[in-house]
Amino acid sequence: MGFKLGTAKQPVANKGVVSKKLSFKSDDASIPGNPVIRKNLDPGILGEANMDGSIFISNKIQPNSQEERQVLLHEMRHATDMRLGKLSYNDDSVYYDGVTYPRETRNGKDMIKVDGQWKEAGDDFPWEKTANI
């Protein structure tokens, strides 16, 4: 029995950069399987990976820029960790690598307890250290 591949367009990569994407969105920032949504994010936040697989990216980031690529790569690492079950979160906690980190709002800011101290979002969280490029 024969098998015909057909003539459908496939993604083309050159030196690790995908030049054609299989996506129904016209936004170049779209990632198959992970919708990318541009929106107004809080000051200092460039991107967010969500439990549903979507990624929010700040509408202040220039489309097709190097900064956009870096933010998307960073958030895709979080999305991958979530799909693998290594990272998850809810309103009360962040769960990373088998450890529960309590989470609450203090003085209007989202705070997470790490190493016995309440900290505001930053690069010193364990799940951020592995996602930095």
Side-chain angles (χ1 to χ4, degrees):
M1 177 180 213
F3 178 75
K4 185 175 180 181
L5 291 175
T7 59
K9 291 186 178 184
Q10 300 296 317
V12 176
N14 183 13
K15 297 181 182 176
V17 177
V18 178
S19 60
K20 293 182 183 176
K21 299 176 184 161
L22 297 175
S23 178
F24 297 105
K25 295 184 173 209
S26 61
D27 185 359
D28 286 340
S30 63
I31 300 167
N34 295 83
V36 176
I37 302 161
R38 292 184 181 280
K39 64 183 285 187
N40 190 25
L41 298 176
D42 290 339
I45 298 179
L46 300 176
E48 295 177 356
N50 302 300
M51 290 296 296
D52 66 359
S54 65
I55 294 174
F56 294 157
I57 187 167
S58 172
N59 56 11
K60 293 178 176 67
I61 295 177
Q62 180 73 29
N64 299 317
S65 66
Q66 181 65 30
E67 181 181 36
E68 178 189 67
R69 285 187 284 281
Q70 288 178 333
V71 170
L72 287 174
L73 282 172
H74 177 92
E75 297 307 329
M76 276 304 299
R77 289 191 183 190
H78 290 313
T80 300
D81 283 350
M82 285 186 234
R83 281 190 178 169
L84 294 173
K86 187 174 184 176
L87 172 66
S88 68
Y89 66 89
N90 59 32
D91 290 340
D92 301 320
S93 300
V94 174
Y95 309 95
Y96 179 71
D97 221 9
V99 178
T100 301
Y101 298 90
R103 178 180 181 186
E104 60 184 54
T105 302
R106 292 178 162 216
N107 299 324
K109 296 181 181 181
D110 190 21
M111 305 291 280
I112 301 171
K113 193 172 188 177
V114 178
D115 297 329
Q117 296 182 351
W118 289 98
K119 299 180 181 184
E120 195 174 353
D123 291 338
D124 58 343
F125 292 135
W127 54 91
E128 290 295 342
K129 292 176 184 174
T130 62
N132 287 332
I133 300 171

